[in-house]
Amino acid sequence: MTSTAPTGPIRLLAVRDTPLSLDEVFAAVGDDAAGGTTLFVGTVRDHDGGSRAAVTGLAYTAHPSAEDALRQVAEKVAADFPVTALAAVHRVGELRVGDLAVIVAVSCPHRGEAFAASRRLIDDLKSQVPIWKRQVFADGTEEWVGV
């Protein structure tokens, strides 16, 4: 699943099963009118606070409405902040420790606005977009998160 929106401040939105690119996301929010650009990268870590066993991998699954929900989140952030450009991509499928799971980027006229908008974008994405993860642990156990 991939969609892009080159017009307006929302430049790139995608839920995809291929590796994510920092360069692609950073390029999407580049704008001469922006004085501040933030980039947040979520990676698969080797542990989870709720388990004693190490995380060996995980799988993300998205509801068919995930991109529509992502667009709604992005539109709300763009309406609430002076966003010059915005991008958000989330990976689905099997991921290993160290893989990029999500990237969000926001450009605004000033750094404070960019930080605030970026924080809202990632927080709302995680709480409102129907994407769930299944963590696999070294001891053979699994756990669904966000379901």
Side-chain angles (χ1 to χ4, degrees):
M1 298 180 270
T2 302
S3 67
T4 58
T7 59
I10 300 172
R11 307 285 174 84
L12 171 67
L13 296 176
V15 176
R16 57 174 67 142
D17 62 2
T18 56
L20 306 182
S21 165
L22 287 167
D23 290 338
E24 175 192 25
V25 175
F26 185 67
V29 297
D31 195 296
D32 289 344
T37 300
T38 60
L39 187 70
F40 171 82
V41 180
T43 57
V44 178
R45 63 181 179 261
D46 67 357
H47 68 282
D48 183 50
S51 175
R52 298 172 116 187
V55 172
T56 58
L58 57 81
Y60 281 101
T61 303
H63 188 274
S65 68
E67 282 193 354
D68 292 337
L70 178 57
R71 179 163 298 283
Q72 290 174 0
V73 165
E75 288 172 350
K76 180 76 168 126
V77 170
D80 289 349
F81 295 90
V83 171
T84 305
L86 175 151
V89 293
H90 202 297
R91 179 94 183 264
V92 293
E94 301 285 331
L95 283 78
R96 297 178 307 206
V97 171
D99 284 347
L100 306 183
V102 61
I103 305 171
V104 301
V106 177
S107 294
C108 291
H110 304 284
R111 71 178 176 274
E113 300 159 342
F115 277 116
S118 180
R119 176 69 183 249
R120 168 84 69 76
L121 179 59
I122 189 60
D123 287 349
D124 289 358
L125 184 161
K126 297 304 284 181
S127 68
Q128 297 175 29
V129 178
I131 298 174
W132 311 282
K133 75 177 171 182
R134 177 181 50 87
Q135 298 184 118
V136 180
F137 298 97
D139 65 4
T141 60
E142 298 181 349
E143 173 186 55
W144 281 93
V145 180
V147 176

